[in-house]
Amino acid sequence: MPETARAGFDYIIIVGLIACLAWMTRIYQTRIEPVIGTDTVRRLSWMGALTLILVILYLPVQAGLKSNFITVLSTATLVLFACVAGHWLAIPLKRPAEFIPIGFAVALSDMFSVFMGPTRKFAENISGYYREGMTGPVPVVDFFLVKMPMPGNDYFLPVFGITDWVVVALLSAGARRFGISDNIFSLAGSKQAKNTSRVFFPVAAIGLVLSIMAARAMNLYLPALPFIVIVFLSAMAAKYPAVRKLGAEEIRAMFFISALIGVLMAVFAFMKK
């Protein structure tokens, strides 16, 4: 198969599988999240049970067992955990304009982590592990990556980190909290019309797809959250004016975040000398 055709086929698989994750997220939003609600004990119980499942699934992998079945189970568990955590983070939101400082914070944090922080080291370990044919001990961080089947590979390969889906779930939960639709299949509709489409693909997931495509095209490890945030905020702010109505609190938060990230970058740069 020509390289261009193979790359296109890979992207089709990636988009299709992310669509499946979006479907799982919508089921969680409509069926499970209303049951959990604001009950902290119930939410922590869910997160604890999911963490226990992940530990049980991790043990045979750490012992050297390579199994796509375990990978499917662990990926599904990770996505569900991301939904529980992401929706929890959305509870304190009070107005749509808070999307901007939140997006600003996660995007800057991800860029810092990938280019200067711990994610850079994790990426090097993961790259070395897969480049050497998945031999040797499995890096712990590998179990926190969402993996998908790719043509020509016997085992599923990592495509993005679970923190990326936590943010997708957070933004989608926030949109749902404020009664605005983040479904790309309803963006062209009226602001007042409810989203009746049975097909769901969150706007933020488009940013995730673009980040994966850019990373694969340039053969680089790129931070996904800036792509996710930019696409989400662009679409939401264009359709819903409330998203772009920044108040004094949001502006102060953005200045504080910028200063904090700047200090962290300076500290890391000093420590490396």
Side-chain angles (χ1 to χ4, degrees), residues 56-206:
I56 292 172
L57 293 173
Y58 172 73
L59 292 176
V61 173
Q62 188 62 26
L65 177 65
K66 295 181 176 64
S67 169
N68 286 331
F69 179 69
I70 292 179
T71 300
V72 170
L73 293 178
S74 63
T75 293
T77 306
L78 281 173
V79 171
L80 183 53
F81 186 95
C83 289
V84 178
H87 283 69
W88 195 10
L89 294 173
I91 291 177
L93 296 179
K94 297 185 177 81
R95 49 189 174 273
E98 290 177 336
F99 281 135
I100 294 179
I102 288 173
F104 190 69
V106 299
L108 280 182
S109 300
D110 196 30
M111 291 172 65
F112 163 70
S113 183
V114 168
F115 294 123
M116 296 184 65
T119 304
R120 180 175 182 178
K121 183 64 175 177
F122 294 155
E124 292 173 355
N125 292 340
I126 288 295
S127 297
Y129 173 70
Y130 282 96
R131 190 167 49 245
E132 294 170 7
M134 301 173 65
T135 57
V138 182
V140 175
V141 69
D142 182 66
F143 212 67
F144 296 95
L145 301 177
V146 174
K147 302 181 183 68
M148 299 180 179
M150 291 294 162
N153 295 280
D154 295 331
Y155 299 105
F156 290 14
L157 297 180
V159 180
F160 60 88
I162 195 56
T163 53
D164 299 331
W165 202 261
V166 170
V167 174
V168 171
L170 162 63
L171 297 175
S172 186
R176 189 174 178 86
R177 178 178 177 84
F178 297 124
I180 61 181
S181 177
D182 67 325
N183 188 359
I184 63 170
F185 296 102
S186 63
L187 281 180
S190 167
K191 297 174 187 174
Q192 289 74 33
K194 289 187 176 181
N195 173 26
T196 58
S197 174
R198 294 185 179 181
V199 183
F200 176 71
F201 200 95
V203 173
I206 295 293

Side-chain angles (χ1 to χ4, degrees), residues 18 164-165 168 184 201-214 223-232:
I18 289 179
D164 299 331
W165 202 261
V168 171
I184 63 170
F201 200 95
V203 173
I206 295 293
L208 179 59
V209 172
L210 292 177
S211 72
I212 295 171
M213 293 177 66
L225 294 185
F227 289 85
I228 292 171
V229 167
I230 289 172
V231 171
F232 176 83

